[in-house]
Amino acid sequence: MVYRIYVEKKPGQRIEADALTGDLKTFLRLDGLKQVRVLNRYDVQHIDKALFDACKTTVFSEPQLDDVYETPDMDGAYAFAVEYLPGQFDQRADSASQCIQILSQSERPTVRTAKLYLIYGTLSQQELAAVKKYLINPVESREASLEPVSTLEIPYQVPTQVDVLDQFLDLDEHGLEEMLAHYGLAMDLDDLKFCQAYFKQENRCPTITEIRMIDTYWSDHCRHTTFLTTIDSVHFEDALLQNAYEEYQKTRQAIGRTKPVTLMDIGTIAAKYLRQTGQLDKLDESEEINACTVRITVQTENGPEPWLLLFKNETHNHPTEIEPFGGAATCI
């Protein structure tokens, strides 16, 4: 059995809903919008009724801050719910599931969450569609059904073979553009043309898995295409910015930098200059560095030891096989 509950902040605590109301009025110019309510919906399976009831005020809500409903009052509201796509990591659901397991000291239940939006006011169908478009990011989420569910299990078929893109080598530019749109690829047309040229040399058509792997690791997130785009010409209206850019150009000349001007080069030129002028002689240079690892000697109870000091380290963990749809999880 699947148990369902809705949780909403009490009046005076509805910061998210109030902020969203203001944003929709401002950005979408919805003069007829009166109020937005935001409720977190929890669906829970593999749990008994007594444990579920105990979790209502311990896991799903804080009694002093939240109101809890089994069936919220939606009279006079335009209602729709938003949930994560299957496979997308749901932090709220995962945390709730872990907390329930801590209470029960038994098997972890299945939890799925969604946000229920209640829109009040006089809005046209076109304006309501604009609200949905504003709130639903199709990369990671979708509109959820408001109907009860009998199971949280997601059926899926295990593929027995990987599809081969049989016509890939013969596609013209229009066909490649259609392929980009059909599969929702992150790469651009030139990237896909490059892939096509490569597989022509291989004299074989790629599998969809190969194309999606290339697409992931060539994405702006992983490949930093924005940061590595060559800057041919730039002009500043602000004198301070113009002077900073000219100082960057002089620094490039001072160290004999010949690679193209890019945002990445602008961001890392200082470390290169300090290194070349002997002011950063302890910078660690290896396959693994991220431009911010320095070799130091640490005095320990066992005597001096060589250490690496990371004064800034940045990792990008998503999208990965764990969370295929998400953006960067950046750690500084």
Side-chain angles (χ1 to χ4, degrees):
M1 182 173 181
V2 177
Y3 296 98
R4 174 171 288 183
I5 192 174
Y6 296 86
V7 179
E8 180 183 26
K9 291 297 179 186
K10 291 180 179 291
Q13 303 291 334
R14 298 174 181 175
I15 299 173
E16 179 185 4
D18 293 343
L20 179 57
T21 302
D23 288 346
L24 292 177
K25 286 183 176 181
T26 301
F27 298 136
L28 301 185
R29 299 181 180 179
L30 302 179
D31 297 330
L33 178 65
K34 301 299 182 185
Q35 181 190 15
V36 177
R37 292 171 60 196
V38 180
L39 293 80
N40 288 306
R41 186 179 79 186
Y42 296 88
D43 288 326
V44 189
Q45 192 175 13
H46 306 134
I47 187 175
D48 60 50
K49 184 67 164 59
L51 178 57
F52 179 74
D53 288 340
C55 291
K56 287 181 179 179
T57 56
T58 55
V59 174
F60 303 122
S61 69
E62 297 178 81
Q64 67 274 26
L65 298 176
D66 300 312
D67 290 324
V68 177
Y69 316 99
E70 290 188 3
T71 305
D73 179 13
M74 295 188 282
D75 288 345
Y78 177 79
F80 66 96
V82 180
E83 65 182 359
Y84 282 118
L85 291 171
Q88 173 75 355
F89 180 64
D90 185 342
Q91 179 69 63
R92 182 182 294 275
D94 184 68
S95 297
S97 180
Q98 290 185 53
C99 291
I100 294 171
Q101 186 181 35
I102 291 173
L103 287 178
S104 67
Q105 293 296 298
S106 60
E107 293 298 317
R108 183 177 297 183
T110 302
V111 180
R112 187 184 301 170
T113 72
K115 277 192 182 293
L116 175 66
Y117 295 97
L118 301 180
I119 312 296
Y120 296 87
T122 305
L123 279 73
S124 66
Q125 288 300 313
Q126 184 178 1
E127 289 173 325
L128 290 171
V131 171
K132 280 189 179 182
K133 185 177 181 181
Y134 182 85
L135 292 172
I136 302 176
N137 178 0
V139 173
E140 64 175 19
S141 57
R142 66 185 181 186
E143 185 171 357
S145 171
L146 299 179
E147 298 300 317
V149 293
S150 58
T151 179
L152 299 183
E153 304 300 328
I154 301 177
Y156 61 90
Q157 293 182 337
V158 178
T160 57
Q161 63 183 20
V162 179
D163 291 337
V164 176
L165 303 177
D166 293 320
Q167 307 300 320
F168 179 67
L169 302 186
D170 300 322
L171 293 176
D172 58 13
E173 184 167 309
H174 179 69
L176 292 175
E177 289 176 339
E178 288 186 335
M179 179 179 169
L180 285 172
H182 176 73
Y183 289 108
L185 300 178
M187 68 174 79
D188 61 21
L189 181 60
D190 287 336
D191 289 333
L192 197 55
K193 286 181 178 178
F194 185 89
C195 290
Q196 187 185 52
Y198 170 81
F199 283 105
K200 283 182 178 179
Q201 290 180 343
E202 290 280 303
N203 195 30
R204 69 178 180 88
C205 292
T207 65
I208 184 59
T209 302
E210 288 175 306
I211 290 298
R212 290 207 177 277
M213 286 293 290
I214 294 170
D215 191 55
T216 296
Y217 290 105
W218 278 9
S219 67
D220 193 11
H221 166 73
C222 297
R223 189 183 173 199
H224 296 303
T225 52
T226 298
F227 294 126
L228 294 175
T229 298
T230 299
I231 300 174
D232 297 314
S233 177
V234 60
H235 303 280
F236 298 96
E237 295 181 0
D238 182 87
L240 181 63
L241 295 178
Q242 183 68 46
N243 291 337
Y245 186 73
E246 290 173 359
E247 183 177 350
Y248 155 72
Q249 293 281 17
K250 292 177 182 177
T251 304
R252 279 174 56 89
Q253 295 173 7
I255 62 175
R257 186 77 171 158
T258 58
K259 288 189 176 182
V261 174
T262 63
L263 292 176
M264 184 69 79
D265 192 64
I266 293 172
T268 57
I269 193 70
K272 292 180 174 64
Y273 176 80
L274 292 172
R275 174 66 173 159
Q276 187 164 321
T277 56
Q279 301 177 66
L280 198 59
D281 58 338
K282 292 184 179 180
L283 178 70
D284 183 56
E285 294 183 287
S286 71
E287 293 285 334
E288 301 298 325
I289 66 159
N290 195 9
C292 48
T293 308
V294 178
R295 298 189 303 274
I296 63 173
T297 300
V298 175
Q299 297 297 330
T300 72
E301 57 186 22
N302 298 319
E305 294 181 355
W307 281 61
L308 293 177
L309 170 65
L310 280 71
F311 61 88
K312 189 217 77 159
N313 192 52
E314 184 179 41
T315 65
H316 295 275
N317 299 322
H318 312 310
T320 66
E321 291 80 0
I322 297 173
E323 185 178 347
F325 303 111
T330 301
C331 236
I332 296 180

